[in-house]
Amino acid sequence: MLNRRDFLQVSMAASALVGASGFGNWARLAAQQALTQDQLLEFDTFGNVSLIHVTDIHAQLKPIYFREPSINLGVGENKGAVPHVTGADFRKLYGVEDGSPYHYALSSGDFSALGKAYGKVGGLDRVATVINSIRAARPDALLLDGGDTWHGSYTCYHTEGQDMVNVMNALKPDAMTFHWEFTLGSDRVREVVAELPFAALGANIFDAEWDEPAEDFEPYKFFERGGVKIAVIGQAFPYMPIANPGWMFPEYSFGIRTERMQEVVDEVRGMGAELVVLLSHNGFDVDKKMASLVTGIDVVLSGHTHDALPEPVLVGDTIIIASGSNGKFVSRVDLDVRDGRMMGFRHKLIPIFSDVIEPDKEVAALIDEQRAPYVDAMSEVIGETDSLLYRRGNFNGTWDDLICDALLSEREADIAMSPGVRWGPSLLPGDKITREDIWNATSMTYGKAYRSEMTGEFIHTIMEDVADNIFNPDPYYQQGGDMVRMGGLGYRIDITKPQGERISELTLLKTGEKLDPAKSYTVAGWASVNEDTEGPQIWDVVEDHIRTQGTVTVNPNTSVEVVGA
Amino acid sequence: MKLTRRDALALGLGATAASLLPFRASAAADDAIAAFTGGMEAGEGGITLTAPEIAENGNTVPISVDAPGAVAIAVYAAGNPTPGVATFNFGPLAGSQSASTRIRLAGTQDVVAVAKMADGSFVKTSSTVKVTIGGCGG
C-alpha cells in the first residue's frame, strides 16, 4: 500500500515517463521543432477535478514579448533552488533543448533571435481558447486568477481597470485574489468587487482599525466539482501597504498571517473540504515556507514573483504551481481526489504562443472594443530601439536602464532610482516604441517622478533596506520584487551579508568618485509610495527622452558587482 | 521607491542611518527581563507570540501573546529606548491567559514575551519585526 506522498511522486514520475505531463511532451516537441495548437493543448484528462490557473497578467490583453530573467538569485535555503535557476542551468535542469520553443518560452538566452523565430506570447483571446479547450474536456474545471490583473497598461489606467474586468468576466473565473488592484484605491476596488460575478478572496485582508478579517472579501469559497467538495482559500499580497502606497487603501491591513491560514484551513476541513486549494499572491519562496508550516493544503497556486515552472514543486504533501506572468502561460492541474484525499495529479504549464494558438473570436472582439477609444493615442510611434528592452533581473534590465537614463537627463539629476518591479513586456531590437509600449513598462496610479536631495549616507541606507527585502535569508521577510535600479551610480553587493553590510563601493558614475556620506546629491525617481509626491508622470518623462533620442541604444550595464551569488 | 523630498528631509533630520539597522538585544532589555524573572532562566515552549514579520506601520504594531496556565506575561521591545511594553496579570478566574495590544517600535528589532507560570517557572519566546523604509512590489 502506497502512502499518499509516494503515490504523488510515483504519479508524477509515471506521467513524465509516458509523456502525459507537460514536461515529457516538451522534450519531444522540441525535437520536432514544430508546434501546433493541438500539441500545446494535448493533455490526457486525469482524475475528477481540473484547476486552471492564470496570474499576474498585468493588464496585457494583447500578445507581447516577455523575456524571463537571467539573474534571479536565491538566498538561504533557496540558494540554487527553483525558481532561482535561470538560462542554460534551467534548461539543463528540466532537459529543455537549446533553441527549442521551450527554451524561448521558459528561459533567457538568445532572446532576440528566438523572439523573431517564435513570435509573441500571450493575448487574452488566446488564453480564452486554451480555457475553452480545457472546459471542453472538463466542463466544470475551476478557473482561478491569482491577481495583479487590473494593473499595467494604458487602457487599464484610463478605465481604472474596467477593461480587464470586462475581458476577464468573459473568461468566467471562479475566484480571484489581489495585489496591484488595490492601487486603484479602496473605493474603486470595493466598487468593482461588489459587481464581480465570482468570488473575491483574501483570508489575510484585515480591517486595519480592528485587526479583524475585512468584511469586503471572503477568506474562502466552496465549490462542488466532480463530486468533490473543494475549498479555495485566497491569500492577497502580504506586504501591500509597505511595497505599495498604503494611503490608497488605509482601511486594510494584510500580512502573511500563518496562524490565520492554519485556522482557515482547519475551518474548511472541518466543514468537509476534500480538497484545499490556496490561491496565493505570496510569491514563490513565501509559499514554500507557508506550505511547510501550514498543514492541510493540497495545492498552492502561486503568484506574485512571476515564475514559470514546468513542474510542480512538492513541499510535504502540498504541490506548488507557478504560472508565469503577463498572460504568457496557463497552468492546468488535473487531480484525482478520492475518499477525501488528493491521490495524484497531472500538470501542464501551457505556453501561450500567440502565432500558434487561435484567438477566440468573441474575446478578441471584446478586447478590441475596450481598446478602441484609446487606439490612436496608444499606437503613436515615439521612437525605435536598437537594443532588446526587457525588465526582469535582480539588479537591472534594459528597460529600467533606459528609464534611469531618461530620469537623469530629463530631470537633471546626479542619480536615478527606478523601482524593482517585475511586470512590463519586452521589445526586440528594431522594434518601434509606441506610447503603449512605454505605458506597459511604467503605468501605475502613483507614477509621478520626484526630484529630491539626498545625502550619500541616506542613499546607502535606502539601498540596504531594499536589498534586505530581496536577500533576507528568511522568505517571510522578503517582499518579492527586485533591487531598486540605480542610474548614475555603481555599487558592489554581497548578497550573503546581513542588512547594513551588503552594499559597498558606491560610485558616482559621472565623476568616478566614491559617494560621500555627508554630501547631498540630486536624486530623481518614480513610484514613491508617499502621498503628495510632486513631479511629471514617469511615462511623460520617458516619452520625452525617447523622442529626443529617436533611436535608443542601451549599453550593457556593468555598474553593479555582485558577490556571493 | 517611496521617498518624496519632504519625507527624505524629515527622515534625514529625525533618523540616522544606524537607527534603521536591527536592534537584536540591549542591556536595558536584558536587565528588564531579569527583573521580571528574578534572574531565573526562562525555558521554551508553552508561550505563543504573534507579530507581523514586517510592520505596516512601526508606530502601531499589533501583537498578541498566549501562554496557557500563566499568571503573568511581560512583553519587551528589545530595541526601544525603554524596552518594557506591558505586563499582563491573570487572576485565577481568567478565562484564558492571552492578550493583544499595539506597540510602537523604533526600528527593526526583536519583540520578546516572557510568561510566569503558576509553579513560578518562566518561559520565553521572541519574534523579529522588521520596520522598513523601502520596498517596491512585484
Side-chain angles (χ1 to χ4, degrees):
Chain A
M1 179 78 190
L2 293 164
N3 69 28
R4 184 177 153 193
R5 176 130 187 238
D6 289 338
F7 189 84
L8 285 172
Q9 288 172 336
V10 168
S11 171
M12 190 163 81
S15 13
L17 274 177
V18 300
S21 84
F23 180 66
N25 274 337
W26 292 348
R28 211 171 55 212
L29 284 170
Q32 294 170 352
Q33 290 291 307
L35 276 174
T36 65
Q37 178 168 319
D38 287 346
Q39 285 170 327
L40 286 174
L41 297 178
E42 184 181 20
F43 196 107
D44 287 334
T45 300
F46 173 80
N48 45 2
V49 172
S50 294
L51 308 176
I52 309 168
H53 183 222
V54 293
T55 192
D56 297 85
I57 293 169
H58 284 284
Q60 296 305 317
L61 292 167
K62 287 282 190 182
I64 43 122
Y65 295 105
F66 192 91
R67 177 192 178 277
E68 300 297 331
S70 49
I71 299 179
N72 182 16
L73 303 172
V75 288
E77 288 175 11
N78 290 309
K79 184 175 182 177
V82 294
H84 305 286
V85 180
T86 57
D89 293 335
F90 180 97
R91 294 192 289 280
K92 193 174 166 204
L93 180 67
Y94 287 108
V96 174
E97 198 177 320
D98 284 356
S100 67
Y102 305 100
H103 166 174
Y104 169 62
L106 286 165
S107 65
S108 58
D110 291 328
F111 185 81
S112 300
L114 294 172
K116 287 195 164 75
Y118 291 117
K120 292 186 173 179
V121 294
L124 283 192
D125 46 4
R126 276 81 168 175
V127 168
T129 299
V130 172
I131 291 168
N132 290 341
S133 140
I134 298 170
R135 283 180 175 146
R138 178 96 73 194
D140 64 355
L142 282 179
L143 172 59
L144 302 169
D145 176 0
D148 276 359
T149 310
W150 314 337
H151 156 268
S153 74
Y154 190 93
T155 53
C156 188
Y157 180 90
H158 285 93
T159 64
E160 293 185 278
Q162 195 62 45
D163 63 332
M164 291 306 295
V165 173
N166 294 346
V167 174
M168 288 305 291
N169 283 355
L171 304 186
K172 299 187 171 61
D174 293 285
M176 176 183 181
T177 192
F178 305 93
H179 171 192
W180 277 83
E181 286 76 11
F182 277 89
T183 66
L184 293 169
S186 43
D187 286 345
R188 175 63 179 152
V189 170
R190 274 191 299 271
E191 179 184 58
V192 177
V193 164
E195 301 295 321
L196 278 186
F198 51 87
L201 303 180
N204 62 334
I205 308 179
F206 273 49
D207 181 293
E209 190 167 1
W210 298 102
D211 204 33
E212 289 171 352
E215 290 175 350
D216 307 303
F217 303 87
E218 296 295 324
Y220 56 81
K221 179 163 167 121
F222 269 92
F223 299 91
E224 179 119 13
R225 299 293 157 102
V228 176
K229 213 171 170 190
I230 305 165
V232 177
I233 302 170
Q235 171 89 342
F237 176 51
Y239 292 128
M240 204 104 60
I242 299 158
N244 303 92
W247 60 268
M248 291 181 165
F249 39 90
E251 315 89 308
Y252 300 114
S253 169
F254 299 85
I256 295 175
R257 299 181 190 268
T258 305
E259 303 81 6
R260 159 77 173 162
M261 183 56 64
Q262 186 65 66
E263 282 168 21
V264 172
V265 171
D266 292 346
E267 183 178 326
V268 297
R269 287 284 182 194
M271 292 165 74
E274 297 164 279
L275 178 75
V276 176
V277 177
L278 177 59
L279 179 62
S280 165
H281 208 95
N282 272 334
F284 198 84
D285 291 350
V286 177
D287 277 323
K288 269 176 76 179
K289 180 166 174 179
M290 180 173 264
S292 75
L293 296 176
V294 175
T295 53
I297 300 172
D298 296 303
V299 181
V300 179
L301 302 174
S302 180
H304 181 51
T305 38
H306 293 196
D307 312 295
L309 294 179
E311 292 180 0
V313 167
L314 268 83
V315 175
D317 286 344
T318 307
I319 62 170
I320 308 180
I321 310 289
S323 306
S325 69
N326 288 265
K328 193 176 170 184
F329 299 97
V330 172
S331 285
R332 174 175 178 182
V333 189
D334 279 20
L335 302 163
D336 179 16
V337 185
R338 275 178 286 136
D339 308 324
R341 296 167 56 180
M342 184 171 85
M343 309 294 276
F345 65 88
R346 186 169 289 167
H347 160 267
K348 183 170 182 172
L349 177 74
I350 303 166
I352 309 298
F353 284 97
S354 311
D355 297 339
V356 178
I357 295 172
E358 188 78 17
D360 177 87
K361 286 195 176 55
E362 279 175 36
V363 174
L366 186 62
I367 290 171
D368 288 341
E369 196 183 303
Q370 312 304 311
R371 292 168 53 87
Y374 308 100
V375 161
D376 286 349
M378 286 194 294
S379 54
E380 186 179 330
V381 175
I382 310 301
E384 197 175 315
T385 181
D386 265 352
S387 310
L388 169 67
L389 295 181
Y390 66 92
R391 173 159 272 152
R392 287 294 308 275
N394 280 150
F395 304 100
N396 71 288
T398 48
W399 250 126
D400 292 311
D401 290 338
L402 177 61
I403 291 168
C404 284
D405 285 348
L407 285 164
L408 290 175
S409 66
E410 299 292 319
R411 304 286 282 150
E412 295 177 2
D414 301 319
I415 293 167
M417 292 189 183
S418 192
V421 297
R422 295 184 167 190
W423 41 267
S426 311
L427 293 178
L428 298 186
D431 277 357
K432 301 267 190 275
I433 306 173
T434 65
R435 182 167 292 125
E436 177 172 25
D437 296 326
I438 295 172
W439 280 69
N440 276 345
T442 57
S443 168
M444 58 164 61
T445 54
Y446 52 105
K448 284 186 178 166
Y450 62 85
R451 186 171 186 277
S452 139
E453 299 289 316
M454 295 183 195
T455 63
E457 182 181 23
F458 193 69
I459 292 165
H460 187 187
T461 301
I462 292 169
M463 292 172 69
E464 289 284 358
D465 195 86
V466 179
D468 196 62
N469 292 334
I470 303 153
F471 298 115
N472 190 306
D474 183 343
Y476 270 19
Y477 293 89
Q478 298 169 5
Q479 293 175 20
D482 283 308
M483 186 64 190
V484 54
R485 278 75 161 105
M486 304 302 298
L489 187 78
Y491 65 95
R492 182 174 196 260
I493 178 166
D494 184 339
I495 65 168
T496 64
K497 291 280 201 301
Q499 184 173 355
E501 296 172 27
R502 292 191 180 97
I503 312 280
S504 62
E505 308 292 317
L506 287 95
T507 308
L508 193 64
L509 295 178
K510 70 178 179 184
T511 62
E513 289 169 8
K514 291 276 173 285
L515 213 63
D516 180 347
K519 198 177 154 190
S520 265
Y521 299 88
T522 306
V523 179
W526 62 291
S528 163
V529 300
N530 288 327
E531 208 170 353
D532 307 323
T533 302
E534 289 175 15
Q537 295 287 6
I538 185 65
W539 43 86
D540 292 330
V541 175
V542 175
E543 182 173 315
D544 289 347
H545 179 72
I546 292 173
R547 209 185 284 283
T548 307
Q549 302 279 308
T551 299
V552 299
T553 304
V554 180
N555 296 315
N557 185 330
T558 54
S559 60
V560 184
E561 185 196 347
V562 181
V563 181
Chain B
M1 283 315 304
K2 56 176 284 190
L3 289 160
T4 63
R5 176 171 183 171
R6 208 178 58 190
D7 290 305
L9 289 174
L11 274 165
L13 292 170
T16 66
S19 73
L20 293 156
L21 300 177
F23 304 103
R24 291 287 164 193
S26 69
D30 290 343
D31 289 350
I33 292 168
F36 180 67
T37 62
M40 271 179 69
E41 196 68 18
E44 286 182 6
I47 179 166
T48 308
L49 168 66
T50 306
E53 287 78 12
I54 306 180
E56 293 181 356
N57 177 357
N59 288 324
T60 168
V61 180
I63 62 138
S64 60
V65 287
D66 181 28
V71 295
I73 305 175
V75 178
Y76 304 91
N80 277 1
T82 308
V85 172
T87 303
F88 304 100
N89 293 299
F90 305 99
L93 296 178
S96 72
Q97 290 75 35
S98 62
S100 54
T101 186
R102 290 176 191 245
I103 65 177
R104 184 177 184 181
L105 299 177
T108 298
Q109 59 184 281
D110 286 343
V111 175
V112 183
V114 186
K116 181 180 187 182
M117 308 310 285
D119 65 2
S121 68
F122 292 87
V123 290
K124 185 169 97 167
T125 188
S126 74
S127 181
T128 303
V129 179
K130 193 168 144 181
V131 179
T132 175
I133 57 164
C136 308

